[in-house]
Amino acid sequence: MYDPHAPKPKATSSVHDIKSEKPPWGSRFLTDEADVFSQNAWDHVPPPDDQVEKIAASLARQHSAPVADEEKHKYNDKPARHWDNFYKNNESNFFKNRKWLHTEFPELMEATKPEAGPLTIAEIGCGAGNAVFPLLTANQNPHLKLRAHDYSSHAVKLVQNNPLYLDPPMGSITASKWDLISEDLPEDMGPGTVDIAILVFVLSALHPDEWGRAVANIHKMLKPGGLLLLRDYGRYDLAQLRFRSNRLLEENLYVRGDKTRVYFFEIDELALLFTGSRASGVNTKETTQVEKDADALPKDVSTMDLTSTPSVSASEEPGNLSSTEKATDSPAIDPSARANLPPPIIHPSLLSFPLQLPTCSPHPLFSAEQLGVDRRLLVNRKRQLKMYRVWMQGKFKKL
């Protein structure tokens, strides 16, 4: 039954592209701090005044007890086995289907239209198929080919055993084990045969020494003009600040309780990785999206250990905009807001000029069609808690 008061799905992205002066239209702004607990979440909220102190305290705690050098090989030598264990323990129950990708990346839905023609979309780091299966369900294009790859054999088996995989309603889907840092592309994938590659919360699982090979493989599989759609963890996200002792592997690289790794990116690091240049016109006023009620999340994100799992499934979902809310014009952005964050630190491997990544062709390899930061202020009204999450998002076109 239709409920006029039910939350409406968010229809537009809230990611603030660095080339845009103002955040996107259709956001919910906190104009009076006294109202912060009146809603579940707020858009375009700059870091609080004491954020530098909070970050410094967290980093000092982490650096005081890092992972011992003699222990690091346990997490770096064979990372796929830790993801195998993760999917054996969680099956397909941990991550929700990423239907929000259709809003963030409308190119995906364009590919599913009946008249879109022959197209190939490859999801790298597919996990249990939480991105490809919503696409397959929505697909009306008989010529759409979906590919799903993961270096966890157990994750690939979960995809292959899904009823949609066994009997796709339209188009086709294949899945196979493949490591993004392999020397070759998957056996049945030729160079320059993919129109769109999806890389969601995957690059952060790699060691920085592996970035060059990953970028080279994405570039190799894409057609000229093909798109890479990327979303990943941002620097000083709540999950990063909650890591405690014996979790820091290297600067901004951590090991979770389940032994999987995670790196937290600066926006310039992603720009350098894919374009060879820093982000231009650095207007990184991070945005947030309206989040589902933090009081009703399947796990209490106000108290849970966000460092023990690859992500909080509910917090990956763009939220809902209440039918009673009105979209407003963006307020003026305070240029001093960046002062509430430490100066950006770029990984040393990206600081050479001209930039040359190991095992990767010289830049420029991609142009940045979109590159932005998505900052969400989640509110737990019952506990009167504020939680700051940070993600990076980009669209890169192969040159």
Side-chain angles (χ1 to χ4, degrees):
M1 181 180 296
Y2 172 70
D3 182 359
H5 302 293
K8 294 181 179 179
K10 193 168 179 62
T12 58
S13 171
S14 289
V15 172
H16 186 182
D17 194 294
I18 61 169
K19 294 178 286 188
S20 301
E21 183 177 349
K22 288 187 175 183
W25 177 88
S27 302
R28 180 163 57 180
F29 299 107
L30 178 63
T31 57
D32 186 345
E33 183 65 25
D35 294 333
V36 66
F37 293 110
S38 66
Q39 303 287 352
N40 304 321
W42 300 92
D43 290 353
H44 315 300
V45 179
D49 292 340
D50 62 348
Q51 190 72 347
V52 169
E53 289 77 12
K54 290 181 178 179
I55 291 171
S58 293
L59 297 183
R61 180 182 69 241
Q62 295 163 2
H63 281 81
S64 68
V67 176
D69 289 342
E70 61 270 20
E71 298 290 316
K72 291 180 180 179
H73 71 92
K74 296 180 180 180
Y75 313 111
N76 292 328
D77 287 352
K78 296 181 180 179
R81 65 182 176 182
H82 303 308
W83 284 102
D84 265 332
N85 290 333
F86 170 80
Y87 284 108
K88 287 177 183 177
N89 293 331
N90 294 281
E91 295 290 328
S92 57
N93 301 318
F94 187 81
F95 297 110
K96 292 184 177 181
N97 280 342
R98 290 166 171 166
K99 297 179 181 179
W100 52 266
L101 286 174
H102 304 171
T103 299
E104 296 300 330
F105 302 119
E107 297 86 353
L108 294 174
M109 290 308 293
E110 289 296 319
T112 66
K113 292 183 176 180
E115 68 281 4
L119 291 169
T120 298
I121 297 176
E123 184 186 11
I124 313 304
C126 64
N130 299 99
V132 290
F133 285 128
L135 275 176
L136 192 60
T137 300
N139 183 41
Q140 301 178 33
N141 178 4
H143 306 292
L144 178 63
K145 296 172 63 176
L146 296 174
R147 305 182 59 107
H149 301 283
D150 203 291
Y151 68 178
S152 165
S153 57
H154 198 82
V156 172
K157 290 177 182 177
L158 290 174
V159 173
Q160 293 173 336
N161 290 329
N162 189 295
L164 282 172
Y165 184 91
L166 299 172
D167 186 20
M170 178 94 49
S172 64
I173 181 171
T174 60
S176 64
K177 181 180 178 180
W178 180 69
D179 192 337
L180 179 56
I181 62 168
S182 298
E183 293 185 1
D184 300 303
L185 295 180
E187 289 183 2
D188 58 342
M189 178 190 288
T193 58
V194 172
D195 295 280
I196 300 175
I198 304 172
L199 208 63
V200 177
F201 300 108
V202 172
L203 202 61
S204 55
L206 302 181
H207 189 280
D209 291 346
E210 300 168 332
W211 289 344
R213 177 72 70 183
V215 172
N217 278 331
I218 294 295
H219 186 266
K220 186 177 181 180
M221 71 173 60
L222 285 171
K223 297 177 181 179
L227 282 179
L228 167 63
L229 308 180
L230 180 146
R231 189 170 175 91
D232 224 316
Y233 296 100
R235 187 69 48 83
Y236 308 131
D237 175 48
L238 174 66
Q240 180 179 9
L241 301 183
R242 285 193 171 182
F243 278 109
R244 298 190 180 277
S245 59
N246 301 313
R247 290 287 180 256
L248 181 67
L249 286 168
E250 296 182 13
E251 288 293 331
N252 303 303
L253 178 67
Y254 299 80
V255 59
R256 303 184 180 94
D258 59 11
K259 300 182 181 180
T260 60
R261 299 174 305 195
V262 58
Y263 186 89
F264 295 86
F265 287 98
E266 276 285 354
I267 198 166
D268 272 339
E269 290 178 321
L270 293 175
L272 286 164
L273 270 173
F274 291 100
T275 72
S277 302
R278 290 177 182 256
S280 60
V282 182
N283 176 20
T284 54
K285 288 297 160 280
E286 299 89 340
T287 72
T288 68
Q289 291 186 357
V290 179
E291 183 58 86
K292 292 181 179 178
D293 193 336
D295 299 334
L297 292 175
K299 296 181 181 179
D300 184 0
V301 296
S302 67
T303 57
M304 70 180 292
D305 178 11
L306 294 179
T307 67
S308 64
T309 53
S311 100
V312 180
S313 57
S315 63
E316 286 188 11
E317 300 289 332
N320 299 317
L321 189 63
S322 168
S323 60
T324 60
E325 292 169 331
K326 303 293 183 180
T328 62
D329 290 334
S330 168
I333 298 175
D334 181 3
S336 66
R338 178 71 208 189
N340 294 337
L341 294 173
I345 298 174
I346 307 301
H347 193 274
S349 66
L350 303 176
L351 293 178
S352 62
F353 184 82
L355 178 61
Q356 180 58 63
L357 296 171
T359 67
C360 188
S361 300
H363 279 295
L365 298 174
F366 295 85
S367 63
E369 302 299 298
Q370 180 203 61
L371 185 55
V373 186
D374 179 359
R375 180 183 295 272
R376 303 183 192 179
L377 172 58
L378 309 186
V379 176
N380 186 313
R381 292 184 286 179
K382 183 184 297 183
R383 296 176 177 268
Q384 297 286 285
L385 294 175
K386 300 181 224 179
M387 297 163 283
Y388 291 87
R389 301 302 309 270
V390 186
W391 290 274
M392 301 291 166
Q393 183 166 305
K395 299 179 189 178
F396 299 95
K397 179 183 287 187
K398 177 178 175 177
L399 298 177

